[in-house]
Amino acid sequence: MPCLIGTDVSLAAQLLREGKLVAFGTETVYGLGANATDATAVAKVFAAKGRPSFDPLIVHVASRDAVRDVVATFPPAAERLAEAFWPGPLTLVLPKRDTIPDLVTSGRPTVGVRVPAPETTRRLLAEAGIPIAAPSANVFGRISPTTALHVAEQLGDSIEYILDCGPCGVGIESTVLDLTEETPMLLRPGGTTLEEIERVIGPVTLASKSEDGPQRAPGMLSRHYAPRTPLSIGEAPREASGRLGLLSFRIPHDVTPFASVEILSPKGDLVEAATNFFAALRRLDSAGLDRIIATPFPEHGLGRALNDRLRRAAATSESAVC
Ligand code: TXA
Ligand code: MG
């Protein structure tokens, strides 16, 4: 049965309390939510997405106070980061409380938690009165949704209700930061930049460069966020064979080889590019192209997260973990 899209926060909260699946908007991407304290409800999330159960879910709460129901400790570094960036696109990995079932954390003793920014989303969480586990509301490995309609297209048949919170402002997922060891580790670059985090808590290790990075970042499959159309990263070719699409950070020099072009930010602004990224990728993916060429972003600020998404969208192996 196709699900409903609407703006009824109370209905969405009630459905969540009843153990049903409800998608909702956040500042980053739309999430596919379930009661994080109910393993049966959480199991439906994995089934709907086709997501492997070794990949833990992020738990969303309404406020900094509500985090205490989810985590066992909240160290000083977490306090400083919460003060600086919550509500906002930063997920902190901390030791979990027993109220959070193992299915949410894939059997790990830690849980990823964040306070999302939009007022409507926090009202939903407050009215539900329970922590909500929510991965991005896309089929596993595919392009993340930044509007309610994107969610309906991919997952409409398996969700009870989609709470339309408008298009997502930030446009890429939250940054995931592990605070369970001596040195904080960046598990996934995202909407809060590494530079911003280091300004608050000092040096952060990158999971990609650390020996124990792969164990601490379980969900970082090399192929992810992927369109069906093959995608490669590079500069625009002078001549095209087949129907080519271009995903360009700035205004390109020459668009003649391309059947379809998406410019993420005419003025070269990374914030604007992030907002447009997944929707533009989705449009190119449905334009009947043979290949998409994506130009790389500068490797700083949000460009780091955008390049990460591009590399995963371009990877050809589903199995490698990096
Ligand atoms: O912006 C976001 O974070 C969105 C919105 C809906 O909040 N959610 C999202 O969830 O992107 P998901 O499931 O697509 O990605 C969650 C990431 C995965 O890479 C997962 O492995 C990591 O967070 N993660 C969650 N809990 C973890 C834990 N306990 N330890 C290590 N990594 C964890
Ligand atoms: Mg995801």
Side-chain angles (χ1 to χ4, degrees):
M1 193 192 69
C3 70
L4 280 174
I5 300 182
T7 54
D8 190 338
V9 172
S10 300
L11 172 64
Q14 184 196 327
L15 291 168
L16 284 167
R17 277 197 306 272
E18 289 170 2
K20 310 266 172 54
L21 295 189
V22 172
F24 56 91
T26 78
E27 75 280 35
T28 60
V29 299
Y30 271 69
L32 174 58
N35 180 352
T37 63
D38 175 352
T40 311
V42 171
K44 293 182 200 162
V45 171
F46 284 93
K49 276 189 64 112
R51 178 174 171 125
S53 58
F54 60 76
D55 193 6
L57 306 181
I58 291 173
V59 174
H60 299 69
V61 291
S63 66
R64 278 167 66 185
D65 288 343
V67 172
R68 312 279 175 176
D69 301 334
V70 175
V71 302
T73 59
F74 205 68
E79 291 284 0
R80 290 205 296 279
L81 290 165
E83 178 69 35
F85 302 117
W86 279 357
L90 176 65
T91 295
L92 300 179
V93 173
L94 291 162
K96 83 174 185 76
R97 263 187 196 274
D98 289 345
T99 45
I100 302 300
D102 284 344
L103 186 58
V104 172
T105 66
S106 305
R108 290 169 174 259
T110 60
V111 62
V113 66
R114 81 180 190 97
V115 181
E119 212 268 325
T120 313
T121 318
R122 279 185 290 138
R123 205 145 44 81
L124 169 71
L125 295 167
E127 273 200 38
I130 41 175
I132 300 297
S136 50
N138 50 282
V139 171
F140 180 68
R142 295 270 165 223
I143 302 171
S144 303
T146 50
T147 67
L149 214 54
H150 293 166
V151 180
E153 280 163 15
Q154 281 199 26
L155 291 172
D157 287 342
S158 36
I159 307 177
E160 206 78 17
Y161 190 69
I162 302 175
L163 183 64
D164 191 346
C165 304
C168 302
V170 173
I172 47 168
E173 292 83 350
S174 63
T175 302
V176 181
L177 188 73
D178 183 339
L179 291 179
T180 58
E181 306 280 335
E182 192 87 5
T183 319
M185 186 179 279
L186 183 80
L187 303 187
R188 176 178 73 180
T192 305
T193 67
L194 180 64
E195 292 88 339
E196 288 170 322
I197 293 170
E198 290 192 324
R199 238 174 272 139
V200 175
I201 55 163
V204 168
T205 311
L206 304 185
S208 53
K209 299 205 169 136
S210 157
E211 259 174 34
D212 61 345
Q215 290 87 53
R216 286 170 72 181
M220 298 305 271
L221 293 176
S222 64
R223 184 169 169 81
H224 214 137
Y225 313 103
R228 289 191 175 82
T229 316
L231 180 144
S232 41
I233 305 168
E235 293 311 320
R238 301 233 171 267
E239 283 171 34
S241 58
R243 277 172 60 81
L244 273 193
L246 177 67
L247 183 71
S248 183
F249 173 37
R250 298 160 182 273
I251 295 173
H253 296 303
D254 180 12
V255 294
T256 26
F258 299 100
S260 189
V261 176
E262 290 284 345
I263 299 163
L264 295 173
S265 174
K267 51 183 194 289
D269 173 15
L270 286 166
V271 174
E272 184 181 36
T275 308
N276 295 328
F277 181 74
F278 283 126
L281 190 54
R282 192 176 287 267
R283 282 193 293 274
L284 287 174
D285 199 24
S286 43
L289 302 166
D290 296 308
R291 194 152 61 96
I292 300 168
I293 311 280
T295 64
F297 298 91
E299 187 65 21
H300 61 76
L302 287 177
R304 206 186 299 272
L306 287 162
N307 282 330
D308 168 81
R309 305 304 186 269
L310 271 189
R311 281 193 290 273
R312 291 179 208 284
T316 52
S317 157
E318 299 252 356
S319 56
V321 175
C322 61

